[in-house]
Amino acid sequence: MSEIHGVLVGAYPRSEQLIKSFREYLKGRVEKDKLKKRILDETEKVVEIQLEAGLRYVVDGMLEWHDLLRPISENLHGVEVDGLARWFDNNTFYKKPIIKDRMNKKNSILSDYIYPNLIPEGRWKLILPDPYTFISLSENMTRFKIDELLFNYAEILNEELLEIQMKYKVGQVQLTAPSLVWRKLDNDMLGIVGDAIEEMLKGIHSEKMLHFYFGDGLNVLPTVLDYNVDVVGFDITSTNLNMLAEYDIGKVALGIIDGRNSLIEDVELIVKKVVKYIDKREPEVLYITPSCDLDFLPPDIAYKKVKLIHKIVERLGEEG
Amino acid sequence: MKLFPTQEVGSLSRAPFLKKITEKSIEETKKWGELLRVEELDKLLSILNKKRINEDDMIILYDYASLFAIRFFESAGLDVIWDGEQKRVEMYEHPLRYVEGFTFLGTVKVWDAEFYRKGAFINSPKLVKPYHLDEFLYVKSKARREIKIPLTGPYTLADWSFDEYYIKKYLSMDDILEARLKAKEEMTIDIAKNIIRPNIISLVEAGAYRIQIDEPAVTSKPWEVPVMVEALNESIKGVNVKVTLHVCYSDYTKLFPHIAEAKIHQISIECANRDTREMGINDEKRIGYGIIEYFREYTPWLEVAPGVIDVHTDFIEPPELVRDRLVYSAKKHGDESKIITCNDCGLRTRSWPIAYQKEKNMVEGANLARKLFS
């Protein structure tokens, strides 16, 4: 029988008040301390929402992250942040890292961006971009080839993760990997990426998850099943669930709640689809997740989606 | 026939008196009003000098803003103009305020601290009233040049919205990608039929001859370009009007070959932003304009309006640079009569002094190019 849990896979939306605080801060009208206090207050709420929904691991909401790459790109020597680029097929943009030299860690990359102390010990979930996503979304202005940059990134982030592990008990580390499924990559590249991911997660004791969104998860199957991770997550708004069920994945995350649409899905319809998947595959552990970050939605809708995950997990429990 | 006619794309930053009214902004208003020879400037200044501006005054101020922008483009010498969208909130929220079957849900991120108010289609959309008609009638009553009205296209309105209605019909399908595409197509076509087309008809009945449909979202999902084209054709079905499609900051190669099916007359694209600032008419200097070859290959009948002014920088393009961009475009296209002079996009992000000088140089650059072909 599959063990079923709910978990989030990315950032939570900022409230109207927090948006306002960020704007005021950027205009120099609010001190950093005041902004930080607002972020802390909202992070507490985001954590509370997930705890109430009984999610197995809890994200801190990543409310301070302007985009998935920014805390990293702004804290590496050899990288500058330049103009806006489209975030996959969304009406959302990120600031492009420009790699100008071999990358090196400045100090701590994430310490200003994470709030593990607000989460019960062992349940904190940390999310980072996988090496290929970070490098492929950057502009390479160095003489280094892509594989060298992948390992350069992986080594730096591994050092960062090990430092975090010394301080906190991390429940799950997720590498978010949209670039790996956005286009189909050749097997040689997928092999190199697998090695870079292994390097990045070397010595990490938490549950290791790789999550693919915005693209067809079938693009990386079956190669990705050989990667040294525990859980593989898919965006089921972009991946055919029946075809996914052709693959035997021990611990799987089904991103079946649409993180980019406000429609609150029908519980029974989702349960029916998941039960059909379980009947065919019966994974050891199955996570019900949003397809992607929830920050494509207004906060009220995001809240309803978290509640929905709770209901679906409960209903699946009743189904046995 | 005039070669390289000049035209505007849409927006201009707010007239000085639509910002906070201060002594400085009143002085600025007076300066621009005199330069642009705006009629009844004294009446405007007397309103601005009032202790309290009421709602009726605001209506008059918006009319003046429109008038200032009209005179701005006329004074710069453009052949085809608009009022800089002085009366619009922005391109997404403004039209959807006039749509039933749609509801705003809250703010979502665009980047960093930039957010927009996003909503969902909760039913088949219905137009409450044509939302550009009053604006058009005012511009028509004042303009001394030909006018072109920009409208946000059906695909972009669909793509930037949530769907709580159409997708429901398809959620039980096994192939979720197919389900999403079907729902998107249905939603986009409904917006075209029920919202955009009635707007265009009302404008044409009021005397509009040129319209511009803005579709900035289209190449973000290249596989949906055929949906955009189908909706575009639905929007203009049976209407006798000259249609420009404006797409910017996109990978234009994704438009091909489907764009050939669009029943449009002109396409306006951003090129200056990706070009060098050096003079010359060779491939190395004009790297922003290589895409014109695609138009020659697939749609030689279309007029192409490559942006020759970068609207995201205060750099003032010299007339000679504008000239070279136009000459190169004509050379790439093979038919100079198909090349139109315009900006990359609206000028909303530039100050009036910068925008004005850019437009004047654009007009001067077109004159220089024209001389080479006469």
Side-chain angles (χ1 to χ4, degrees):
Chain A
M1 203 171 104
S2 300
E3 200 182 298
I4 300 170
H5 301 282
V7 75
L8 300 188
V9 294
Y12 201 82
R14 295 172 185 167
S15 71
E16 300 253 1
Q17 293 88 338
L18 185 56
I19 294 167
K20 203 174 159 199
S21 298
F22 265 105
R23 283 197 180 137
E24 296 289 299
Y25 170 70
L26 291 171
K27 285 176 186 165
R29 292 181 196 152
V30 160
E31 296 295 316
K32 178 91 182 193
D33 287 355
K34 206 170 166 191
L35 175 68
K36 272 280 187 190
K37 172 76 173 59
R38 170 73 72 181
I39 292 168
L40 192 68
D41 290 349
E42 284 215 7
T43 301
E44 280 177 353
K45 286 180 200 157
V46 173
V47 167
E48 190 59 36
I49 289 167
Q50 295 170 82
L51 291 174
E52 274 175 14
L55 304 189
R56 182 174 197 181
Y57 300 113
V58 174
V59 297
D60 62 16
M62 305 163 81
L63 299 173
E64 207 162 346
W65 299 44
H66 284 318
D67 58 61
L68 182 66
L69 314 185
R70 193 76 63 82
I72 301 157
S73 50
E74 285 185 343
N75 285 290
L76 291 178
H77 288 298
V79 179
E80 288 175 14
V81 177
D82 197 28
L84 294 173
R86 186 178 291 278
W87 186 243
F88 298 90
D89 57 346
N90 304 290
N91 183 29
T92 306
F93 299 82
Y94 71 100
K95 286 201 173 162
K96 201 170 198 172
I98 310 292
I99 306 173
K100 294 200 157 174
D101 203 348
R102 187 175 168 76
M103 296 178 282
N104 282 299
K105 208 163 167 265
K106 285 181 184 168
N107 292 305
S108 167
I109 295 172
L110 296 172
S111 59
D112 273 353
Y113 295 89
I114 54 176
Y115 296 87
N117 291 330
L118 301 179
I119 298 166
E121 196 181 46
R123 287 180 70 184
W124 177 41
K125 170 170 179 168
L126 173 63
I127 298 174
L128 289 166
D130 86 287
Y132 186 77
T133 295
F134 185 89
I135 299 300
S136 66
L137 296 179
S138 303
E139 192 172 333
N140 178 14
M141 293 184 70
T142 71
R143 64 185 190 285
F144 302 116
K145 291 181 186 156
I146 184 168
D147 49 348
E148 292 174 285
L149 292 177
L150 290 173
F151 283 95
N152 184 191
Y153 173 90
E155 284 160 14
I156 293 168
L157 271 295
N158 178 252
E159 192 186 325
E160 179 74 11
L161 282 169
L162 290 172
E163 283 172 18
I164 289 173
Q165 187 171 258
M166 295 276 284
K167 290 183 200 160
Y168 310 105
K169 196 170 174 203
V170 190
Q172 190 183 65
V173 173
Q174 174 188 302
L175 302 190
T176 299
S179 290
L180 283 177
V181 289
W182 180 244
R183 287 194 182 84
K184 195 168 173 61
L185 301 175
D186 63 48
N187 276 337
D188 286 350
M189 180 50 74
L190 285 178
I192 294 167
V193 172
D195 291 344
I197 286 174
E198 184 160 355
E199 179 67 31
M200 183 167 166
L201 297 174
K202 197 168 63 184
I204 302 303
H205 309 311
S206 338
E207 186 169 72
K208 296 183 271 281
M209 174 170 165
L210 190 57
H211 186 66
F212 302 107
Y213 57 53
F214 305 149
D216 189 346
L218 301 175
N219 283 343
V220 287
L221 288 171
T223 314
V224 76
L225 301 181
D226 293 331
Y227 285 11
N228 196 7
V229 293
D230 304 306
V231 186
V232 189
F234 298 91
D235 173 350
I236 304 302
T237 70
S238 301
T239 306
N240 185 316
L241 187 57
N242 291 338
M243 290 169 82
L244 183 67
E246 297 297 319
Y247 297 91
D248 188 14
I249 309 168
K251 292 184 179 181
V252 68
L254 300 181
I256 200 160
I257 306 301
D258 195 339
R260 295 192 284 178
N261 196 14
S262 59
L263 179 74
I264 303 301
E265 288 88 342
D266 178 69
V267 174
E268 294 310 316
L269 183 63
I270 299 288
V271 167
K272 196 175 143 195
K273 287 185 177 187
V274 176
V275 166
K276 191 175 163 194
Y277 176 85
I278 293 172
D279 285 348
K280 184 155 186 187
R281 272 297 155 210
E282 202 167 338
E284 181 192 334
V285 178
L286 185 143
Y287 288 100
I288 299 294
T289 77
S291 56
C292 58
D293 307 67
L294 289 177
D295 67 350
F296 296 96
L297 303 169
D300 292 353
I301 309 293
Y303 174 72
K304 287 179 186 167
K305 295 265 179 181
V306 177
K307 294 291 231 188
L308 179 68
I309 290 173
H310 172 67
K311 278 185 205 156
I312 290 167
V313 171
E314 238 179 23
R315 275 287 293 115
L316 287 168
E318 287 164 19
E319 288 285 318
Chain B
M1 182 190 165
K2 186 178 185 179
L3 289 178
F4 308 116
T6 52
Q7 66 184 33
E8 221 293 294
V9 176
S11 67
L12 178 68
S13 66
R14 294 284 165 137
F17 48 91
L18 284 189
K19 297 164 190 167
K20 197 175 174 186
I21 298 172
T22 58
E23 270 182 36
K24 195 179 161 197
S25 68
I26 293 174
E27 194 52 41
E28 212 183 327
T29 299
K30 191 164 177 273
K31 191 190 87 183
W32 279 105
E34 285 167 356
L35 176 72
L36 304 176
R37 298 184 181 175
V38 174
E39 307 88 301
E40 298 186 70
L41 186 58
D42 288 346
K43 186 180 161 193
L44 169 64
L45 294 173
S46 71
I47 295 173
L48 297 179
N49 282 309
K50 281 168 73 170
K51 277 189 182 160
R52 198 166 170 274
I53 307 260
N54 60 34
E55 273 184 28
D56 291 342
D57 293 330
M58 280 313 296
I59 293 168
I60 299 171
L61 289 190
Y62 275 108
D63 276 348
Y64 266 108
S66 183
L67 182 60
F68 264 61
I70 291 166
R71 297 288 175 258
F72 180 101
F73 291 118
E74 288 173 346
S75 166
L78 273 74
D79 298 308
V80 180
I81 59 153
W82 184 238
D83 77 342
E85 301 178 8
Q86 295 292 305
K87 294 175 178 172
R88 300 185 188 183
V89 183
E90 49 76 79
M91 65 181 296
Y92 174 77
E93 190 176 333
H94 181 85
L96 290 166
R97 284 178 173 183
Y98 300 89
V99 175
E100 268 178 19
F102 176 90
T103 185
F104 285 103
L105 291 174
T107 47
V108 295
K109 187 170 77 174
V110 185
W111 79 86
D112 290 14
E114 297 300 319
F115 284 69
Y116 77 107
R117 205 163 154 239
K118 183 167 178 171
F121 284 92
I122 52 172
N123 211 325
S124 177
K126 287 195 182 76
L127 184 64
V128 177
K129 70 163 200 166
Y131 42 78
H132 291 317
L133 187 58
D134 293 343
E135 199 184 9
F136 170 72
L137 290 172
Y138 182 80
V139 177
K140 190 183 161 202
S141 73
K142 299 290 179 188
R144 296 161 183 160
R145 301 280 166 86
E146 206 177 331
I147 51 185
K148 170 168 65 68
I149 313 116
L151 295 95
T152 307
Y155 179 82
T156 295
L157 290 179
D159 192 63
W160 290 357
S161 299
F162 298 123
D163 170 17
E164 297 194 9
Y165 177 68
Y166 297 94
I167 191 73
K168 275 185 185 168
K169 301 179 198 174
Y170 301 106
L171 278 177
S172 57
M173 279 175 69
D174 280 341
D175 187 344
I176 191 68
L177 296 175
E178 183 64 18
R180 283 171 57 194
L181 188 61
K182 275 178 176 293
K184 181 75 164 282
E185 186 173 5
E186 209 175 306
M187 174 163 73
T188 311
I189 297 299
D190 270 4
I191 297 170
K193 275 184 186 166
N194 302 351
I195 307 301
I196 307 301
R197 195 155 166 267
N199 263 298
I200 293 174
I201 288 172
S202 77
L203 291 166
V204 172
E205 284 173 353
Y209 171 62
R210 284 175 180 264
I211 59 156
Q212 173 182 299
I213 297 184
D214 297 333
E215 289 286 18
V218 62
T219 56
S220 62
K221 298 178 181 71
W223 58 92
E224 291 181 359
V225 170
V227 176
M228 185 280 289
V229 170
E230 193 188 345
L232 185 59
N233 290 341
E234 194 60 48
S235 302
I236 55 181
K237 197 154 84 180
V239 184
N240 181 24
V241 68
K242 179 161 183 171
V243 181
T244 300
L245 169 68
H246 174 67
V247 181
C248 50
Y249 308 100
S250 298
D251 178 356
Y252 304 115
T253 61
K254 307 290 185 205
L255 294 173
F256 297 94
H258 314 288
I259 196 65
E261 302 298 320
K263 294 180 172 48
I264 54 174
H265 306 87
Q266 187 184 90
I267 183 157
S268 147
I269 54 174
E270 147 270 334
C271 294
N273 178 252
R274 54 187 90 188
D275 197 38
T276 79
R277 293 175 179 178
E278 293 172 53
M279 309 295 171
I281 53 167
N282 58 40
D283 293 347
E284 289 71 35
K285 299 289 192 297
R286 298 285 71 85
I287 53 173
Y289 297 80
I291 190 67
I292 288 172
E293 267 184 354
Y294 278 73
F295 292 100
R296 178 173 68 183
E297 170 85 20
Y298 290 93
T299 58
W301 60 88
L302 273 189
E303 289 178 355
V304 183
V308 290
I309 297 291
D310 184 352
V311 298
H312 281 167
T313 167
D314 282 349
F315 168 70
I316 308 283
E317 291 81 355
E320 293 76 15
L321 179 59
V322 171
R323 173 199 64 199
D324 288 356
R325 286 172 172 170
L326 289 170
V327 170
Y328 181 82
S329 299
K331 194 174 89 171
K332 272 278 163 196
H333 191 282
D335 181 354
E336 63 272 15
S337 73
K338 297 291 185 203
I339 302 299
I340 310 297
T341 312
C342 76
N343 306 317
D344 271 355
C345 190
L347 286 157
R348 188 187 296 273
T349 57
R350 295 301 100 202
S351 68
W352 276 38
I354 296 286
Y356 190 62
Q357 197 53 53
K358 277 177 174 272
E359 297 298 87
K360 286 188 74 152
N361 284 12
M362 182 172 85
V363 170
E364 182 54 29
N367 286 337
L368 294 176
R370 214 168 285 131
K371 279 178 193 161
L372 294 177
F373 285 85
S374 60

